[in-house]
Amino acid sequence: MKLVRYGNPGKEKPGLIDAGGKLRDLSAIVPDIGPAQLDAAVLAKLAKLDTAKLPAVRGTPRMGCPVAGVGKFIAIGLNYADHAAESGAPIPKEPIVFMKATTCIQGPNDPVMLPKGSVKSDWEVELGIVIGTRARYVTQKAALDHVAGYCTINDVSEREYQIERGPQWDKGKGCDTFGPIGPWLVTRDEIANVQKLSMWLDLNGKRMQTGSTKTMIFGVAKLVSYVSQFMTLMPGDVITTGTPPGVGLGMKPPLYLKKGDVMTLGIEGLGEQRQVVVPFKL
């Protein structure tokens, strides 16, 4: 299934995309797409619905983050060897874990706002993992059983804040609007091999990133298992898993986002995003 949340910010309704690509309303079935709806039994119930009988949604409403009530927004750094190289960093021996503030989460096509004084904001197309059932000290073999599904994420980053203003990356990762997620949460059963998905990002129509999840240093099962050794993963938690090469930081000279830029990005089977870059505003 492709589960969505659509409508104005703060007033999103649950929905799904049917086999014909139509948006269908799920409001009469579930109150939202959040932690309680990511349980395997609930997802199985939704999968059995006759989608043709669900109300079709007219027009092209705004898409919100496909998961409500995200408790933790966990990120993995330098998880592609070629991206580590372009960043001038060694290949990590263990996953690099940091947090993105949940306040940065937004819809996939909402504008991205440059932080106040930003001069080094950057783009990163990434695969997102959505946790479906509680995971604590899980084995790598059992890790995927705890995954509800996957989504596209743009891990927008302010490099000066991230790298030059202290050892913690979080300051450059959690700025408002720096976490576009969606357009869909694609349930795990629809993805035959999560380690074989193509991914891309364009800036103003020019291809910047081309990659595949097959070149991840640490795969999805490893990441879920690894992170669960350090914190309990709960339904609705999101893990964004690193980016392939082609970010602005790695260019010579570096290239960073400015007002009016347009980012478009996508991952095979997980949908596309589009964001216009806007200046800072309180």
Side-chain angles (χ1 to χ4, degrees), residues 112-118 161 175-177 259 277-282:
V112 164
M113 180 178 68
L114 297 173
K116 188 176 183 179
S118 167
Y161 299 0
C175 305
D176 290 348
T177 76
K259 173 185 173 182
V277 179
V278 297
F280 173 79
K281 182 179 180 181
L282 283 174

Side-chain angles (χ1 to χ4, degrees), residues 108-202:
N109 303 315
D110 294 340
V112 164
M113 180 178 68
L114 297 173
K116 188 176 183 179
S118 167
V119 293
K120 295 184 179 180
S121 289
D122 204 348
W123 56 84
E124 294 189 13
V125 59
E126 302 197 3
L127 169 73
I129 305 167
V130 180
I131 300 299
T133 58
R134 181 178 180 271
R136 181 171 180 261
Y137 291 101
V138 299
T139 65
Q140 190 167 332
K141 183 177 180 179
L144 295 187
D145 294 338
H146 297 269
V147 174
Y150 306 101
C151 54
T152 300
I153 295 177
N154 189 354
D155 177 21
V156 187
S157 310
E158 214 300 341
R159 302 302 190 188
E160 181 185 17
Y161 299 0
Q162 175 191 354
I163 300 169
E164 301 173 36
R165 299 183 65 175
Q168 299 295 327
W169 288 10
D170 303 48
K171 287 184 288 187
K173 294 287 190 171
C175 305
D176 290 348
T177 76
F178 272 25
I181 301 178
W184 318 310
L185 162 60
V186 180
T187 50
R188 191 178 79 241
D189 59 291
E190 283 210 11
I191 304 300
N193 185 351
V194 72
Q195 299 302 159
K196 199 176 180 181
L197 301 178
S198 59
M199 52 205 307
W200 58 272
L201 183 145
D202 292 351

Side-chain angles (χ1 to χ4, degrees), residues 5 31-43 66-72 130-134 148 185 234-238:
R5 299 174 65 249
D32 208 339
I33 304 297
Q37 289 74 45
L38 299 178
D39 179 79
V42 178
L43 292 179
V67 184
V70 175
K72 293 190 289 295
V130 180
I131 300 299
T133 58
R134 181 178 180 271
L185 162 60
M234 299 297 292
D237 286 350
V238 174

Side-chain angles (χ1 to χ4, degrees), residues 4 26 55 64 84 99 107 158 162 250:
V4 301
L26 282 175
M99 308 295 285
E158 214 300 341
Q162 175 191 354

Side-chain angles (χ1 to χ4, degrees), residues 66-127:
V67 184
V70 175
K72 293 190 289 295
F73 194 3
I74 304 155
I76 307 299
L78 302 176
N79 197 27
Y80 290 72
D82 34 14
H83 171 57
E86 72 173 353
S87 301
I91 296 174
K93 296 179 180 179
E94 293 188 43
I96 296 172
V97 180
F98 60 94
M99 308 295 285
K100 286 179 74 78
T102 55
T103 48
C104 81
I105 293 173
Q106 64 169 16
N109 303 315
D110 294 340
V112 164
M113 180 178 68
L114 297 173
K116 188 176 183 179
S118 167
V119 293
K120 295 184 179 180
S121 289
D122 204 348
W123 56 84
E124 294 189 13
V125 59
E126 302 197 3
L127 169 73

